Amino acid sequence: MRTSVRTAAVAATAVSLALLVTACGGGKESADQGKGKESAAPSASATTSSAPPAKALSVAELEKLIVEQADLPGYQVKKAPAAEIVPSSAVAADKPSCKPFADAMSYIATGNPAASAHRRAIEVPKSDGATASSEDILGALGAPATGVTLGSYDGQGAQDAFASLKKAGTECAGGFTLIGGGEKTKIMKVEPETVSAGDEALAWTVTTDVAGLPFVTKLVTFREGGTLASFSTLSFGGPVTSLPTAIITAQDKKLG
């Protein structure tokens, strides 16, 4: 029983639809290129602000700021294995303006971050692995699984990355094709949702064609200073009907 539960958990905690469908290969996390706390201007256009340009955080600093188990009671929160993190070069879109969206769906920090950090979070059944019933296992498989990505940027990088996602959400509303791992995945439509977090935030319902059937997931991003947080949520139990509010709130609190 324990082996079955572990196998089910591995499947259920896959962090993005794109990785499931395209089976992209492993990659390395962004290099630790940034040091120090960011001091971001309030908007990409505020070039005359007296505040110094944002300075990217390091990987070590992001690791302290990303959500952990203690931040999310009732969830299993794990650091994503390196094999689940793919480089941006491994993912493409048939429409250039949709590339930022393809990255965010694929657990990749959008744009050109100096550093990134990754977690995966899934609601867990009440029983532990040793005593879980068949209903518990099915419940774990059907629970929404969320991939969390933090990217930290120098200068106006975070604002630019957020703007590219905002543009993609509009220009790719009618769908696009995500390309990765030698496979093509048809995104049927992208619909805006309402969300509030950080300095600015966006959210979408994403409908993907999987074997001729619609597969509904959620995508959320928010910017806090020079850091961009993204959340990609899917479920094997059916359409994802709500945003991962608890995870977003916990991450917003740690970055705020």
Side-chain angles (χ1 to χ4, degrees), residues 5 17 40 42 56 91 144 174 177 179 205 219 233 237:
V5 171
L17 174 63
V91 175
T177 299
I179 305 164
T205 293
L219 184 65
T233 304

Side-chain angles (χ1 to χ4, degrees), residues 3-29:
T3 300
S4 297
V5 171
R6 183 180 296 112
T7 301
V10 170
T13 55
V15 294
S16 87
L17 174 63
L19 291 183
L20 289 174
V21 176
T22 63
C24 293
K28 295 183 179 180
E29 292 187 58

Side-chain angles (χ1 to χ4, degrees), residues 71-152:
D71 305 311
L72 290 167
Y75 286 78
Q76 181 189 71
V77 182
K78 297 290 186 181
K79 185 174 182 178
E84 290 182 359
I85 303 170
V86 300
S88 181
S89 59
V91 175
D94 63 337
K95 300 177 183 178
S97 62
C98 300
K99 165 65 172 170
F101 218 85
D103 282 348
M105 289 184 66
S106 303
Y107 204 34
I108 298 167
T110 302
N112 297 296
S116 63
H118 310 265
R119 292 293 183 274
R120 58 188 185 187
I122 183 171
E123 294 181 72
V124 295
K126 296 182 182 301
S127 301
D128 63 26
T131 60
S133 67
S134 299
E135 289 76 13
D136 290 329
I137 296 172
L138 290 174
L141 283 170
T146 298
V148 183
T149 304
L150 292 187
S152 187

